[in-house]
Amino acid sequence: SGSVMLGVDVGSVDQATLLAYGAWIHRLKMYPYFDTAHYLLVTCEIRDEMSSAAGMFSRKHPLSCWLSTMLMCFADSFLASFLLGEPLITPFKRHDDILLATLIWYLVFYAPFDAIYKMTKITPVKVVLSIMKELKRAHKVAQGVSHAAKLYPHSYLVQILVGTAKGAGTGVVRPIEQFVRGVWMPTHNELLRPSLYTKVCLIASTLLVLEANSPLINAPHDLVYLGMLGFLLYFKLAYLLFHVSEPFAPFENLFCAVAMGGIWDALSRAIAASRERKAANKDTVPLPGEKKEQ
């Protein structure tokens, strides 16, 4: 009985520890350190997309370069404001956020010898920045779901959409950002080709909504938040370190085959092919009195 009691005590201590960590992480202040990591990685992604033309473009079109960077740094807030019918200028209400993002933009594009940009490409530095960004992403997803729940408490779909927008808004806003830079690629958008981060944020938002409104997830909020953060970190590090870009592909293919007509399409193709083979065989079989061609 002593071992059983010891096991119970250890289990309760572990749960209490996880709850304490979850509460501590949930209440972390994002400004300025985690915001800095987010702005750095987003700005570097824009520069990577420009490739070799980044230096020339940033010097010939600094306003366009700055505006496109601001659109991506605050893409989640722009998209959430649009979905909720709030003023689109809301993300610019905090001057300290704008100043910090502008400073990061300037250092990435104009620092001597590209020191800041090259530093973010060092693997250990990139891993640390990515972990900090995922902490920021988890905070934004939870914040989006909570904010939407206050405005639309009976609309779970709105809560999931806003939570996803807050966590993965950069992918949705990217075509607008590209248009600001003079590039127009309408076929590259999240509705046609959802990225891994959009899918992960959609799942994370759904978990938070179920935790708040359904008995399916019966766990403390801080513990659910910690699990969601671990979920985000797992996929981010798998992509960063092992280049796993489509972990959901087998499940998506199975779902499409079962629920989206894939089985029936395959069956129709098999029947059509069988009919074509029968018709071809009939054409080659000689009629009575006829000799088969040599």
Side-chain angles (χ1 to χ4, degrees), residues 178-195:
Q178 292 171 339
F179 179 74
V180 170
R181 291 191 285 109
V183 180
W184 180 238
M185 294 187 293
T187 57
H188 292 75
N189 63 73
E190 290 296 301
L191 297 180
L192 289 176
R193 298 179 179 86
S195 65

Side-chain angles (χ1 to χ4, degrees), residues 10 32 35 79 109 130 146 153 165 207 213 236 240 255 259 262 275 286:
V10 171
D35 286 341
L79 187 58
F109 281 96
S130 298
S146 176
L207 290 176
N213 302 284
K236 181 65 176 184
L240 192 63
F255 176 77
R275 289 175 178 174

